[in-house]
Amino acid sequence: MNRFTGFLLASLAAVPAEAAESLLRIAMTAADTPTATGMPNNGFEGMRFLGYPVFEGLVLWDLTRTDRLAGLRPGLAERWEQAPDDKRVWIFHLRQGVAFHDGTPFDADAVIWNLDRYFKPDAKQYEPPAAGITRARAPLVESYRKIDDRTVAITTAVPASYFPYMAVYILFTSPASFEKAGRDWARVGTLPAAGTGPFRITRVAPREAVDLARHDGYWDPARRAKLDRVRLMPIPEANARIAALRAGQVDWIEAPAPDGIPSLRQAGFAITTGSYPHIWPWFYNIGAPNSPFRDVRVRQALNYCIDRDALVGFLNGTAEPSVGWLKKDDPNFGAPQHRYGLDPAKGRALLKEAGYGPGRPLAFPVMVSTSGSGQMQPLPMNEFLQESLKQNCEVNVTFNVVEWQVLLTAGRSAPDAPALQGALALNVSSPSSDVSVMARYFSSANLSPKGFNFAQWKDEAFDDRLRTLSESTDPREIAAATRAAHERLVDNPPWLYVVHDLNPRAMSPRVKGFVSPQSWFVDLTLVSLQ
């Protein structure tokens, strides 16, 4: 009996004693439980399940609708605005009457304490792993200060009209949790730590499960959870997740294997899919010494060498072709000169211009993961791309296969860092939800390891358009600049654009009230079990 099977049997044995309570069991794609200190690792799957349900930000996502991209709503700050005399300064007015799960107050001192945790390396509470994640997601934070007990100001490095979309990723943990654990963040993660969210952590068992319970003292009575408890279980292998669902060992699985979806639907399980702001690409490593991707013709060529439609068929329709960072029907897609699709002749011609061909084939290694948040079915999908590039354009690709968290760490590394193992591309799925994400991934001010611009991509026209939309308050000017910026992402591509995920999940028919928003995240407070 392996460890996973033994744990599932133990979970089943516990069910009768828990029958009086509603317990939702979720199978994640992660290979391990996300860290539980208040800034979870394991990418946005960590944020989805062990971030926002437990720990909150000054700004939160509105995840109650399916008909449009998820917007923002007030969170631990009831309102915010730019300072009238300096567009770099954002003033946040904190919500009254909020306490952490341990009963300690949420106030301006707690905000500053947590900001020091992320942005002040000499602070006693500085947490390097959490700081790396937060700095990469909110790279514009320059300074901050307490105005009074209910008001804080955060200053950005440059004016940024989209900064609230970065603030949404800064989560807050009770300072008392750190003190209770002897000022040891490793121990904080097993206490468990206290947040302010609608759920609280009750048990952390690394590699096995994290248990959450409804927080009946949640500050927003209208948003208190319907479920009594939630169990988060890492099951990285897609077929193992399906087997667990069929056996009644879990109620909800992320990313079911596409070929298993028809039989799950036939068996009465609910399958949810929906468009959301997500892309599954390869990041080109442009900055590595002697990288072939320094030549834009090589980057363009690969975008003509892959059969996206065939890959969508291979995925049983759970994705759609990607020909840019945004979907082609997005109003901000623009009118780029390049319209990517399978065109081997054009791909080969561009490679030939760049000096590659039968006598000197293009060859490079790609770092890929075995599973992970938004990674869909990474191994078979990457093998499909490997064969597509070989057949269509005689490009030879090899793989460095690692765990998801290892790949995420590599994505925040310098282009020649040992952590990359010589990889000249990374397969990291990523959001495309708003301009703040565009700035994080593509602004030349956010080159890794400072930010998420792993590709080390620099485009003056893009930076100019980003500056315009950052400083402007005119919606028409912002929209025009966004379209022009995206055109540069297509014509001077920093990535190989592959597919947009349709976010499939499979659930027991007992799961009710689930809303599949146009977002990476979900609102667990809406869910119940029957």
Side-chain angles (χ1 to χ4, degrees):
M1 180 185 299
N2 62 33
R3 178 180 58 193
F4 169 65
T5 302
F7 175 69
L8 288 179
L9 291 176
S11 299
L12 282 175
V15 168
E18 301 165 343
E21 294 185 315
S22 55
L23 169 63
L24 176 69
R25 300 158 300 172
I26 299 176
M28 303 181 295
T29 67
D32 194 0
T33 53
T35 48
T37 63
M39 179 48 66
N41 62 6
N42 275 284
F44 275 3
E45 187 174 55
M47 290 288 281
R48 180 186 301 137
F49 293 125
L50 207 53
Y52 295 123
V54 182
F55 306 94
E56 299 177 301
L58 300 174
V59 184
L60 295 174
W61 294 104
D62 181 356
L63 303 171
T64 60
R65 304 184 58 155
T66 61
D67 59 342
R68 64 187 183 192
L69 288 177
L72 301 179
R73 64 179 177 90
L76 296 177
E78 58 187 7
R79 59 188 174 89
W80 56 86
E81 73 270 352
Q82 286 176 289
D85 58 341
D86 187 347
K87 287 184 178 180
R88 298 183 308 123
V89 178
W90 288 84
I91 300 172
F92 292 88
H93 303 271
L94 306 185
R95 192 175 295 279
Q96 298 276 356
V98 177
F100 289 102
H101 298 147
D102 58 14
T104 58
F106 172 81
D107 54 19
D109 289 333
V111 171
I112 299 301
W113 187 93
N114 275 274
L115 292 175
D116 283 350
R117 164 194 178 189
Y118 299 131
F119 297 103
K120 189 178 179 183
D122 61 349
K124 67 180 184 300
Q125 68 269 33
Y126 186 70
E127 184 187 5
I133 294 170
T134 305
R135 285 169 174 263
R137 291 175 180 164
L140 292 184
V141 173
E142 184 174 81
S143 63
Y144 41 86
R145 62 186 175 91
K146 172 183 174 180
I147 296 176
D148 57 42
D149 286 346
R150 311 308 313 170
T151 318
V152 295
I154 299 177
T155 301
T156 56
V158 296
S161 59
Y162 49 80
F163 180 68
Y165 283 92
M166 289 187 172
V168 78
Y169 299 114
I170 304 173
L171 304 187
F172 295 89
T173 302
S174 168
S177 294
F178 184 66
E179 297 298 327
K180 184 178 178 181
R183 299 186 175 183
D184 180 348
W185 279 112
R187 292 184 61 199
V188 172
T190 61
L191 275 176
T196 60
F199 291 91
R200 57 186 176 83
I201 302 172
T202 59
R203 183 178 73 102
V204 178
R207 295 276 177 179
E208 291 185 357
V210 176
D211 284 353
L212 312 180
R214 180 179 59 241
H215 177 47
D216 290 327
Y218 185 52
W219 56 265
D220 187 350
R223 293 179 181 270
R224 285 178 183 158
K226 297 176 174 62
L227 293 163
D228 294 307
R229 299 198 300 123
V230 176
R231 177 167 294 156
L232 306 172
M233 302 163 63
I235 306 179
E237 208 279 312
N239 288 322
R241 291 194 295 275
I242 288 179
L245 181 64
R246 285 184 172 277
Q249 296 162 342
V250 298
D251 309 292
W252 164 331
I253 65 174
E254 295 285 283
D259 58 1
I261 288 177
S263 63
L264 286 173
R265 188 177 278 119
Q266 266 191 336
F269 293 100
I271 306 297
T272 69
T273 59
S275 176
Y276 77 125
H278 168 272
I279 181 171
W280 193 96
W282 284 359
F283 297 0
Y284 294 132
N285 187 345
I286 299 171
N290 303 315
S291 170
F293 300 118
R294 291 175 182 268
D295 192 323
V296 66
R297 295 169 296 187
V298 176
R299 307 198 301 270
Q300 293 167 343
L302 266 58
N303 274 290
Y304 285 110
C305 289
I306 59 172
D307 192 341
R308 298 171 178 85
D309 291 330
L311 180 56
V312 168
F314 175 73
L315 294 170
N316 208 5
T318 58
E320 53 192 330
S322 170
V323 293
W325 187 67
L326 296 172
K327 297 182 180 183
K328 60 184 177 183
D329 59 354
D330 190 294
N332 290 321
F333 188 90
Q337 296 178 10
H338 285 266
R339 295 287 180 167
Y340 298 122
L342 180 59
D343 190 340
K346 191 162 189 174
R348 288 171 185 254
L350 285 165
L351 287 173
K352 184 178 180 180
E353 290 177 19
Y356 297 97
R360 189 195 175 207
L362 175 64
F364 58 94
V366 182
M367 182 174 283
V368 305
S369 65
T370 53
S371 64
S373 170
Q375 290 293 89
M376 302 177 69
Q377 312 300 323
L379 295 182
M381 289 173 69
N382 277 296
E383 289 168 356
F384 184 99
L385 291 181
Q386 181 185 47
E387 185 62 23
S388 190
L389 288 168
K390 178 67 175 177
Q391 288 188 357
N392 294 317
C393 293
E394 298 181 346
V395 174
N396 297 318
V397 172
T398 56
F399 296 125
N400 302 338
V401 182
V402 299
E403 276 197 356
W404 174 226
Q405 189 58 41
V406 174
L407 179 57
L408 283 178
T409 301
R412 295 193 292 270
S413 302
D416 55 353
L420 295 175
Q421 304 173 25
L424 291 178
L426 305 182
N427 169 223
V428 180
S429 62
S430 57
S432 54
S433 55
D434 55 82
V435 172
S436 79
V437 178
M438 180 188 283
R440 284 210 324 259
Y441 278 102
F442 305 117
S443 168
S444 63
N446 294 325
L447 303 182
S448 64
K450 174 187 176 183
F452 271 130
N453 187 347
F454 167 79
Q456 310 286 300
W457 184 74
K458 300 178 183 179
D459 185 291
E460 291 183 5
F462 174 88
D463 284 340
D464 182 62
R465 298 285 76 76
L466 184 65
R467 189 176 307 110
T468 297
L469 65 89
S470 298
E471 297 176 359
S472 178
T473 57
D474 182 344
R476 290 176 298 181
E477 186 175 35
I478 290 172
T482 303
R483 288 193 297 271
H486 188 263
E487 289 168 0
R488 296 306 304 150
L489 291 177
V490 177
D491 289 333
N492 183 17
W495 295 356
L496 173 63
Y497 303 115
V498 185
V499 293
H500 299 290
D501 184 11
L502 291 183
N503 206 13
R505 294 182 172 94
M507 300 178 181
S508 161
R510 297 178 59 233
V511 178
K512 304 297 181 183
F514 172 71
V515 172
S516 182
Q518 292 190 39
S519 171
W520 277 68
F521 310 111
V522 297
D523 189 343
L524 290 179
T525 68
L526 303 174
V527 178
S528 62
L529 278 177
Q530 291 184 0

